[in-house]
């Protein structure tokens, strides 16, 4: 019997190791386990808001399991993103990140992970337009006046952003390169302190996501000048804002998209369950209402599928790589 066990136990262990990971996908998600969505930014910011709304919308299609958000901020989202890249690929640790997935490969010349190779792309969530806003005491009252004011104050304009590689940083880079005017960058550790200083008049301009600016615009705490989409937005608080395209910056367009990711090697069956749940969540009336209220547009095209999501991100890596290289704006 001892000899039989000596031969049988290793064989059983080997057989267990050879069982495809996807063979257990039917058990996912387990009722007693929590799915964690890692947000690589501070709590209270625009991406955090999207993640918390999405976590609630995902809960029901995933069988009422607990879905929580964990903020792991720092280093332009690389810390939280690296955490997910190293996580066990079982579907219980996910990443929600924005356009940073396309800019990190150029912004950081050394990364502890590869965006194309170390993640499973689960699908896109939304597109978030940007708004160009100013301190409440800024003299211009519309974009035409702002354009003239910028021309008259070259060298004395401060442009805030939420840190290297942030959405506001990227929008600011593209805006400056388009109008060919350099402004003094003022980096902050997150969107909230940048907005606080803009409202307080410590900086002149900020280009940030509608998820973070709509409320401030509606409350008239800041001056709003334009949106970064090719068409005007329908959100009540933003519908009267012109686009930068119609204001003379032809084809100027920046949207901050959000996507959901899992560690590389997550079983195909688990990926499918997560993608199916995501598609249901994106149709959840409450989630749609919350996103529309913030000016975000739910993704309904092919980017909601994993293949379309990855194809889009790879194209964005190429696009932003050229802009970042031209600006020479590196984070390391």
């Amino acid at each position: 019997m001892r000899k039989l066990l000596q031969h049988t136990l290793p064989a059983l262990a080997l057989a267990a190791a050879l069982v495809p990971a996807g063979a257990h996908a039917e058990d996912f998600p387990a009722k007693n386990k929590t799915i964690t969505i890692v947000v690589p930014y501070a709590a209270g910011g625009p991406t955090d808001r999207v993640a918390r709304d999405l976590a609630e919308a995902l809960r029901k299609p995933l069988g009422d399991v607990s879905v929580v958000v964990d903020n792991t901020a720092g280093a332009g989202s690389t810390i939280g993103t690296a955490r997910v890249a190293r996580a066990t690929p079982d579907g219980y640790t996910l990443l929600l990140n924005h356009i940073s997935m396309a800019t990190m490969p150029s912004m950081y010349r050394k990364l502890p992970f590869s965006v194309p190779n170390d993640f499973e792309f689960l699908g896109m969530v939304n597109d978030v337009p940007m708004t160009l806003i100013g301190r409440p005491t800024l003299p211009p009252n519309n974009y035409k006046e702002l354009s003239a004011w910028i021309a008259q104050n070259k060298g004395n304009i401060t442009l805030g952003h939420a840190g290297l590689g942030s959405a506001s940083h990227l929008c600011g880079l593209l805006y400056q390169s388009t109008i060919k005017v350099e402004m003094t960058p003022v980096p902050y550790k997150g969107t909230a302190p940048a907005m606080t200083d803009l409202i307080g008049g410590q900086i002149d301009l900020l280009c940030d996501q509608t998820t973070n600016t709509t409320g401030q615009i509606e409350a008239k705490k800041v001056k709003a000048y334009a949106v970064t989409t090719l068409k005007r937005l329908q959100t009540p608080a933003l519908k009267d804002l012109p686009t930068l395209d119609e204001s003379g910056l032809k084809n100027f367009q920046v949207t901050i998209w959000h996507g959901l990711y899992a560690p590389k090697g997550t079983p195909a069956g688990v990926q499918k369950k997560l993608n199916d749940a995501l598609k249901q969540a994106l149709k959840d009336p409450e989630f749609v209402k919350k996103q529309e209220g913030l000016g975000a547009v739910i993704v309904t095209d092919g980017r909601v599928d994993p293949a379309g999501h990855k194809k889009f991100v790879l194209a964005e890596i190429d696009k932003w790589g050229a802009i970042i290289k031209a600006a020479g704006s590196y984070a390391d």
Side-chain angles (χ1 to χ4, degrees):
M1 177 63 73
R2 183 177 299 170
K3 288 184 178 180
L4 179 62
L5 288 174
Q6 287 175 341
H7 291 288
T8 303
L9 290 176
L12 289 173
L14 177 61
L18 293 175
V19 172
H24 302 293
E26 66 272 13
D27 301 325
F28 177 87
K31 290 287 187 182
N32 62 342
K33 296 194 72 173
T34 296
I35 294 175
T36 299
I37 299 177
V38 174
V39 173
Y41 307 98
T47 300
D48 179 65
R49 295 183 68 177
V50 173
R52 292 182 188 278
D53 289 344
L54 182 64
E56 178 60 26
L58 282 172
R59 181 181 56 79
K60 189 173 182 179
L62 287 172
D64 286 324
V65 296
S66 178
V67 183
V68 301
V69 171
D70 191 346
N71 300 91
T72 305
S77 86
T78 61
I79 294 175
T81 303
R83 173 187 164 187
V84 176
R86 296 191 301 264
T88 302
D90 56 8
Y92 291 99
T93 304
L94 307 177
L95 171 72
L96 184 83
N97 203 352
H98 58 39
I99 198 172
S100 179
M101 294 297 277
T103 60
M104 282 188 290
S106 298
M107 189 74 67
Y108 292 84
R109 288 163 287 192
K110 291 184 180 179
L111 281 175
F113 54 82
S114 165
V115 171
N117 300 320
D118 290 342
F119 298 92
E120 304 293 355
F121 292 68
L122 300 177
M124 299 274 291
V125 177
N126 64 14
D127 288 305
V128 183
M130 306 285 281
T131 45
L132 182 62
I133 58 177
R135 56 181 166 84
T137 54
L138 205 64
N141 293 309
N142 54 53
Y143 186 76
K144 183 178 180 180
E145 292 179 3
L146 176 67
S147 185
W149 181 85
I150 289 174
Q152 294 165 5
N153 289 274
K154 289 181 181 179
N156 297 302
I157 303 169
T158 52
L159 178 66
H161 65 75
L164 285 173
S166 66
S168 49
H169 177 225
L170 297 170
C171 185
L173 281 180
L174 185 58
Y175 182 63
Q176 291 175 86
S177 68
T178 301
I179 65 172
K180 295 179 172 52
V181 174
E182 288 190 17
M183 303 177 188
T184 302
V186 183
Y188 292 86
K189 293 182 178 180
T191 302
M195 184 64 74
T196 297
D197 271 11
L198 184 73
I199 293 171
Q202 278 73 51
I203 55 175
D204 296 319
L205 297 170
L206 179 68
C207 184
D208 208 355
Q209 303 174 63
T210 56
T211 45
N212 196 56
T213 63
T214 301
Q216 310 297 348
I217 293 170
E218 196 168 24
K220 300 188 184 306
K221 292 183 178 180
V222 297
K223 285 191 173 181
Y225 294 107
V227 295
T228 64
T229 49
L230 295 180
K231 294 182 179 180
R232 292 197 183 199
L233 303 178
Q234 299 304 309
T235 308
L238 308 174
K239 63 182 179 63
D240 292 328
L241 284 181
T243 68
L244 285 170
D245 175 75
E246 73 179 79
S247 300
L249 304 185
K250 292 303 179 184
N251 298 315
F252 189 100
Q253 182 179 21
V254 182
T255 56
I256 304 304
W257 41 266
H258 291 86
L260 193 64
Y261 308 81
K264 187 70 174 180
T266 300
V270 172
Q271 291 183 56
K272 186 178 187 312
K273 284 191 174 183
L274 289 167
N275 179 254
D276 288 345
L278 174 62
K279 288 176 177 176
Q280 291 185 56
L282 298 185
K283 296 177 182 178
D284 181 273
E286 190 61 26
F287 179 73
V288 172
K289 181 180 179 182
K290 288 179 179 178
Q291 296 304 294
E292 288 179 344
L294 295 170
V297 179
I298 302 294
V299 171
T300 58
D301 55 39
R303 295 173 299 158
V304 77
D305 292 311
H309 179 191
K310 186 170 186 177
K311 180 180 179 182
F312 174 78
V313 173
L314 294 180
E316 286 282 282
I317 289 174
D318 290 340
K319 167 188 169 181
W320 285 101
I323 294 171
I324 291 166
K325 184 177 179 180
S329 184
Y330 301 106
D332 57 3

